[in-house]
Amino acid sequence: MVPVQHRSYRIDDDCIEEHTAAGVINRLLQEALKQNASDIHLEPGTEGLVIRFRCDGQLKKQAVLQSDLQNLILNRLKVMAEMDITEKRLPQDGHLAVVWQEQLYDLRISSLPLYQGEKLVLRILGQREQMMTLEQLGFSEENLKKVQTLLKMPGGMILVCGPTGSGKTTTLYSMLAALQSRGQNIVTLEDPVEYEMPGINQVQINERTGLTFARGLRSVLRQDPDIIMVGEIRDLESAEIAIRLAYTGHLVLASLHTGNAIGAVKRMVEMGIAPHLLASCLNGVVAQRLVRCSQDASVRGRIAIQEVLVCDRNVKQLISRYDNFLDAQEQIAAGYLSLAEDGRRKAEEGKTVQAELDAVLGPEL
């Protein structure tokens, strides 16, 4: 169990104050945790406050609460998350720690002003206490061997890419777990720290206090690191520092919001990274999505589909001559198993169904 290190809100299973804001929030959080939801959406509507949970990647309507409770519930949540309840015209962010059944959960709360009123989204972290190994992530045998080879490189950069909610952080943590046996100094920069890993130096990014990814990366250089994990490359400044760390012999793991492995290379160049620098540092890219599993014709849980681009000498030469890389995209992509191909194989093995692949990747035209 993650230790409670700051003030937290304890969920009461026996709460009977069902018709108060506190009682509704208590029941709401309890139900979301029971259903293993990753997000809670509270959306103002004409009929009242609509509650939706995201479970296994899908949003499902749970309830509609009376309009007279709407402001009380939203304001109470904002107070608990140390947000400004008087500010309803601009977006805000906050966080809240809750304890349920002796387990600590960290909730990231964001507000968004809508035409109909203020909407809150609560992202639930800390649901999965068990660290997954690389072997448990669903890599095909071919892709697993590629990733294991990439992790044996003494320096350079490995990018893990995909949209929000595609399991990038889980993959990065699994990579770190595989690297722990090296006996090296591993430092991470995360927003937020989603899993506490003993033996690894984890830095919690805090934009409010000025501890940004870029500032944290600059400080890491003075900490004698061997391996650095960057939760997310967000802009040119953080990309440049990560590239410099990889260029000077550190092994850098980072996530990037792109659709596929080829897109990760293009995104880095579009950010402003010189192609020849990227070519010298980039060891490989893992792109992934999460699709719901098939199980006796019903669908429960999710598995990952992946593609792994290894930047060998030929690929590096093409990246350094970027126009050649753009011309050779299809040729490069033909050299590895694509997301769609990996998904089809898993559908053939009965691990998912084509309808789920179409929902995540889009139907094939």
Side-chain angles (χ1 to χ4, degrees):
M1 185 183 74
V2 178
V4 179
Q5 296 177 329
H6 46 78
R7 189 179 62 179
S8 57
Y9 172 81
R10 186 170 293 274
I11 299 174
D12 183 4
D13 287 334
D14 300 319
C15 178
I16 59 174
E17 298 177 338
E18 294 278 342
H19 302 293
T20 67
V24 170
I25 292 170
N26 187 88
R27 178 63 64 185
L28 174 69
L29 295 175
Q30 186 183 139
E31 285 300 318
L33 293 174
K34 281 181 179 179
Q35 295 185 38
N36 199 32
S38 61
D39 301 87
I40 304 170
H41 290 240
L42 296 90
E43 304 168 337
T46 54
E47 71 272 42
L49 187 65
V50 179
I51 307 298
R52 297 198 291 171
F53 293 170
R54 186 178 295 280
C55 301
D56 290 334
Q58 290 196 331
L59 274 175
K60 296 181 180 179
K61 188 174 181 180
Q62 299 293 314
V64 179
L65 303 181
Q66 299 174 12
S67 297
D68 58 348
L69 276 175
Q70 179 173 312
N71 287 335
L72 292 173
I73 291 169
L74 297 181
N75 285 340
R76 181 170 177 83
L77 279 169
K78 289 173 72 174
V79 168
M80 291 163 65
E82 299 181 348
M83 299 162 70
D84 183 357
I85 64 170
T86 65
E87 180 56 80
K88 300 182 184 297
R89 298 168 300 172
L90 296 173
Q92 293 187 68
D93 293 296
H95 68 88
L96 167 66
V98 300
V99 177
W100 182 58
Q101 297 184 346
E102 302 310 313
Q103 171 67 52
L104 178 68
Y105 299 89
D106 187 27
L107 275 61
R108 298 289 154 150
I109 302 179
S110 65
S111 68
L112 183 67
L114 303 180
Y115 177 75
Q116 300 90 340
E118 192 173 29
K119 172 178 177 175
L120 292 186
V121 174
L122 287 64
R123 167 151 290 189
I124 304 172
L125 306 173
Q127 287 277 58
R128 298 170 180 83
E129 278 306 298
Q130 181 140 9
M131 176 65 67
M132 298 180 72
T133 66
L134 286 172
E135 291 77 11
Q136 294 172 318
L137 293 181
F139 283 107
S140 66
E141 184 177 349
E142 173 187 346
N143 282 340
L144 179 60
K145 288 180 179 178
K146 287 181 178 180
V147 172
Q148 290 170 334
T149 298
L150 290 174
L151 291 175
K152 291 177 182 177
M153 302 293 287
M157 177 182 286
I158 302 171
L159 293 174
V160 179
C161 65
T164 300
S166 59
K168 298 186 297 294
T169 301
T170 299
T171 298
L172 287 170
Y173 278 137
S174 298
M175 289 179 172
L176 291 178
L179 291 166
Q180 276 187 294
S181 62
R182 284 192 183 184
Q184 294 178 310
N185 181 19
I186 302 177
V187 183
T188 75
L189 294 104
E190 307 172 61
D191 183 17
V193 172
E194 295 190 25
Y195 186 94
E196 188 175 346
M197 297 187 70
I200 290 180
N201 304 287
Q202 295 173 271
V203 178
Q204 171 81 51
I205 296 302
N206 190 333
E207 302 278 349
R208 291 180 180 177
T209 63
L211 182 51
T212 62
F213 273 107
R215 188 169 184 177
L217 281 171
R218 284 194 294 268
S219 300
V220 162
L221 281 172
R222 298 189 288 271
Q223 291 288 311
D224 186 32
D226 298 299
I227 300 168
I228 301 136
M229 192 268 272
V230 182
E232 182 185 346
I233 291 179
R234 299 183 172 184
D235 50 32
L236 176 59
E237 186 178 18
S238 57
E240 286 178 333
I241 297 171
I243 285 286
R244 189 169 77 222
L245 289 167
Y247 189 75
T248 53
H250 303 90
L251 180 59
V252 177
L253 312 178
S255 71
L256 192 66
H257 282 268
T258 59
N260 54 38
I262 294 288
V265 175
K266 295 162 70 174
R267 176 73 179 124
M268 292 291 282
V269 174
E270 288 168 0
M271 276 186 178
I273 299 299
H276 71 279
L277 282 177
L278 182 61
S280 67
C281 297
L282 187 61
N283 295 340
V285 182
V286 177
Q288 63 184 59
R289 297 287 193 284
L290 295 178
V291 297
R292 294 197 298 171
C293 304
S294 62
Q295 203 172 66
D296 300 328
S298 65
V299 180
R300 301 188 187 96
R302 290 188 289 174
I303 60 169
I305 57 174
Q306 301 106 338
E307 62 184 30
V308 182
L309 166 62
V310 175
C311 296
D312 57 18
R313 182 176 300 179
N314 178 56
V315 173
K316 286 178 178 288
Q317 287 177 346
L318 289 170
I319 294 174
S320 64
R321 300 177 178 87
Y322 190 58
D323 288 341
N324 293 346
F325 173 81
L326 294 176
D327 291 339
Q329 289 180 71
E330 292 185 7
Q331 173 192 339
I332 295 169
Y336 58 84
L337 204 63
S338 71
L339 288 167
E341 290 166 340
D342 189 46
R344 278 196 294 271
R345 287 191 183 183
K346 286 168 180 170
E348 290 169 359
E349 294 168 357
K351 296 177 180 177
T352 187
V353 293
Q354 187 62 46
E356 293 301 324
L357 298 175
D358 292 344
V360 172
L361 298 176
E364 294 189 48
L365 301 177

